[in-house]
Amino acid sequence: MSNKFYTILNLITGIFTVIVQFATSFFLSPFIVKALGAEANGYTQLAANFVMYASLLTTAFNSMASRFVSVAYHQGNIDKARGYYSSVYVANIGLIALLLPISVIVSLRLEHVIVIDNVDVLDVKLLFGCIFANFFVGLISSLYSISMYVKNAIYYSNILNCIRTICNAVLLFAVFSLLPVKIFYVSFVALMLSIFLIPAYVYYQNRLLPDIHFDKKDFSWRAVKDMLSSGVWNSVNQCGHLLQTGFDLLLANLFVSPFAMGLVAVSKTIPSAIIQLATTINNNFSKS
C-alpha cells in the first residue's frame, strides 16, 4: 500500500488514541479527586511535570534519533543506521545513569523540595518514585519504537498507547475500589503497564527492522554529536514550553497551597488534551 495510506492510518489511530486518553482522563480525574482530594490529583500532575524537566536532557538525543536512523536506512546505509541506533542506545543508558541518583535523592527528600500537606508523605514519595521509574522505562522502550517511525508504522505505537490507556483506567478503577486508597497507585499502575508493553515493542522492532539492533561496536561519538547538535534546538523549544505551562503547578504548590495546585491541575485537563492532539497530528505527519 502507498505511503499516503499509512500516513492517514497513523493519523486516524493517533487521533483516536488522544480521544481515548482525553475521555479516560476526563472521567478519571474527578474519580481521583473524589477518592483522594484535589491535592492528590495535583501531586500526580506535578510529578509528571518533574519528568518534563528531566526530559530537557533526553529530548536533545531522542527527538532526532528516529530521523537519523530513518534517513540512513532509506539511503541504504545500514551500517550508518546501526551506528545511530547503537549510539542513542548508549546515550540513553548514560542519561539514565546520570538521572537515576538525582531522582532517588529527590524522591527520598521530597518534603524538602515541595510542600506536602493533607496527604501521606510516604505515599507522595512513592508516587514520584514510580513516575521517575516509568520515565526511565519509557527511555528504553522509545528505542524500540524507532522501527515504527522508520517503516512509517506509527499506528502500531498508537494502538499500543490506546490499549495502555484503557488498561490503565480499568486497573485504576479496580485498585481504588478494592484496595485502601493510595496516591501512588496512579504511577505504579502506569509503571507496570509500561514494563509489560516492552516485549511488544521488542517484537515490532524485530519484525519491522530485523537488521537494526544494538551493538556496542557500532557506537560512535560522531553520531552522538550529530544527533545532539540537531536536537538541542528541540530542547530549547521544550524549555520555552515549560516556561509557559510547566511551572504553574510547582509555583502554586510552593507559593499558594497544595489545594490550589490541585485545582490548577484539574483545570488543565482540557487544555492539555488540546496540546496533546496538536502534538499527535504533528508527529504522525512528520514521516509523510
Side-chain angles (χ1 to χ4, degrees), residues 91-134:
N92 277 357
I93 297 300
L95 288 170
I96 291 174
L98 172 66
L99 294 173
L100 181 60
I102 299 175
S103 66
V104 171
I105 293 173
V106 170
S107 298
L108 292 177
R109 299 183 58 82
L110 190 61
E111 69 271 25
H112 301 290
V113 179
I114 62 175
V115 178
I116 304 178
D117 285 335
N118 301 323
V119 292
D120 182 59
V121 175
L122 178 60
D123 198 6
V124 178
K125 288 183 176 181
L126 289 173
L127 169 75
F128 273 71
C130 289
I131 281 186
F132 288 145
N134 193 35

Side-chain angles (χ1 to χ4, degrees), residues 52-147:
M52 291 175 61
Y53 309 152
S55 68
L56 285 176
L57 295 176
T58 64
T59 296
F61 292 103
N62 290 278
S63 63
M64 299 303 297
S66 297
R67 290 182 180 273
F68 275 85
V69 174
S70 181
V71 169
Y73 181 85
H74 289 292
Q75 287 177 342
N77 196 335
I78 304 300
D79 291 336
K80 190 174 183 180
R82 288 175 182 165
Y84 284 124
Y85 183 85
S86 297
S87 298
V88 75
Y89 196 104
V90 173
N92 277 357
I93 297 300
L95 288 170
I96 291 174
L98 172 66
L99 294 173
L100 181 60
I102 299 175
S103 66
V104 171
I105 293 173
V106 170
S107 298
L108 292 177
R109 299 183 58 82
L110 190 61
E111 69 271 25
H112 301 290
V113 179
I114 62 175
V115 178
I116 304 178
D117 285 335
N118 301 323
V119 292
D120 182 59
V121 175
L122 178 60
D123 198 6
V124 178
K125 288 183 176 181
L126 289 173
L127 169 75
F128 273 71
C130 289
I131 281 186
F132 288 145
N134 193 35
F135 171 66
F136 297 136
V137 172
L139 278 181
I140 297 173
S141 62
S142 67
L143 294 167
Y144 299 108
S145 65
I146 289 176
S147 61

